[in-house]
Amino acid sequence: AQSVSQHNHHVILSEAASLELGCNYSYGGTVNLFWYVQYPGQHLQLLLKYFSGDPLVKGIKGFEAEFIKSKFSFNLRKPSVQWSDTAEYFCAVTPFSGGYNKLIFGAGTRLAVHP
Amino acid sequence: DTGVSQDPRHKITKRGQNVTFRCDPISEHNRLYWYRQTLGQGPEFLTYFQNEAQLEKSRLLSDRFSAERPKGSFSTLEIQRTEQGDSAMYLCASSSRTGADNEQFFGPGTRLTVL
């Protein structure tokens, strides 16, 4: 069965520190990859997505992620975090089917950024 | 607001009671998904509709759960004879068949507490 593993459940950083959140998935075929973010009191929002092409994708608010097919990874990065990045981050994968795609989520990483 | 809406936002019920949740997708979206999220976990897929047809149901969806989308617009999720283990956040998402990437847009969720 397909699964998504997020390496860290809780991350605490100071403002201006660099961020990298790990995500690995298990699926042998073509996949679409996503990072969603949930800010406190808000609903899930798409941060960035990878479908094809350049494996380095850029999302909103200065986030980026790199798809490394050989490592089944899709790690999220940001060079300098802000207090407003405090949120829970979810990696998700859908096996490519050309049709509808149910999302398979990781357990999430809760990020706290201190001023 | 033209996003996905869910009602109610919170529901507290006693074990054994029936509950029903409603989801209104983005108006032009023909695909609708239900997910469940428990504490410390990412959302888990429950079921999927394309227009009014329910095309997939997860094994998580026991026979106490039923979902409908009678006119291909809003959807309802009913839980009969609720159990404490049903306590969770129930999320609805929608996407467009014509969208190049089938991005799913999430609603705010209904938080169910079973006493």
Side-chain angles (χ1 to χ4, degrees):
Chain A
Q2 301 102 21
S3 66
V4 176
S5 175
Q6 292 186 239
H7 306 159
N8 309 97
H9 293 294
H10 293 91
V11 173
I12 301 173
L13 295 173
S14 297
E15 275 193 318
S18 63
L19 170 71
E20 181 161 2
L21 302 183
C23 173
N24 287 88
Y25 65 92
S26 64
Y27 182 71
T30 303
V31 293
N32 298 330
L33 296 154
F34 305 81
W35 276 96
Y36 278 84
V37 61
Q38 188 165 27
Y39 297 103
Q42 297 188 26
H43 56 275
L44 278 167
Q45 302 171 43
L46 184 66
L47 200 54
L48 49 77
K49 59 183 182 267
Y50 172 79
F51 281 73
S52 62
D54 189 343
L56 183 63
V57 293
K58 297 190 183 298
I60 60 172
K61 303 187 180 183
F63 285 90
E64 65 179 30
E66 185 176 13
F67 171 49
I68 303 179
K69 188 175 181 180
S70 61
K71 294 185 178 180
F72 299 90
S73 70
F74 190 55
N75 291 355
L76 180 70
R77 299 194 292 250
K78 186 171 183 177
S80 176
V81 294
Q82 300 172 321
W83 176 80
S84 58
D85 293 325
T86 294
E88 190 157 19
Y89 293 81
F90 294 93
C91 181
V93 62
T94 67
F96 178 76
S97 66
Y100 82 95
N101 292 312
K102 62 185 178 187
L103 289 163
I104 300 165
F105 285 88
T109 297
R110 195 174 292 272
L111 172 66
V113 180
H114 294 301
Chain B
D1 189 325
T2 57
V4 178
S5 62
Q6 293 187 246
D7 184 70
R9 296 289 302 276
H10 303 273
K11 179 71 176 178
I12 300 174
T13 191
K14 293 182 179 179
R15 189 176 54 185
Q17 298 295 304
N18 299 343
V19 294
T20 300
F21 311 140
R22 177 180 170 124
C23 170
D24 286 88
I26 294 171
S27 60
E28 63 268 25
H29 286 183
N30 69 329
R31 297 178 172 181
L32 188 146
Y33 311 77
W34 284 97
Y35 294 83
R36 180 173 69 186
Q37 185 177 16
T38 54
L39 202 61
Q41 299 298 318
E44 296 174 291
F45 171 78
L46 291 179
T47 190
Y48 160 73
F49 289 86
Q50 183 165 313
N51 300 312
E52 65 276 9
Q54 188 175 22
L55 297 186
E56 184 174 350
K57 290 177 14 175
S58 162
R59 279 178 286 181
L60 291 174
L61 218 62
S62 75
D63 56 5
R64 295 184 299 105
F65 289 71
S66 62
E68 293 183 343
R69 194 181 183 199
K71 296 182 180 180
S73 56
F74 72 91
S75 175
T76 58
L77 178 67
E78 180 184 16
I79 309 175
Q80 296 182 328
R81 306 181 302 281
T82 53
E83 301 173 355
Q84 289 183 324
D86 297 331
S87 294
M89 177 75 87
Y90 290 84
L91 298 168
C92 177
S94 70
S95 68
S96 167
R97 184 172 71 92
T98 59
D101 53 18
N102 286 327
E103 177 184 340
Q104 292 182 32
F105 295 82
F106 282 82
T110 295
R111 183 171 296 283
L112 172 66
T113 302
V114 181
L115 301 176

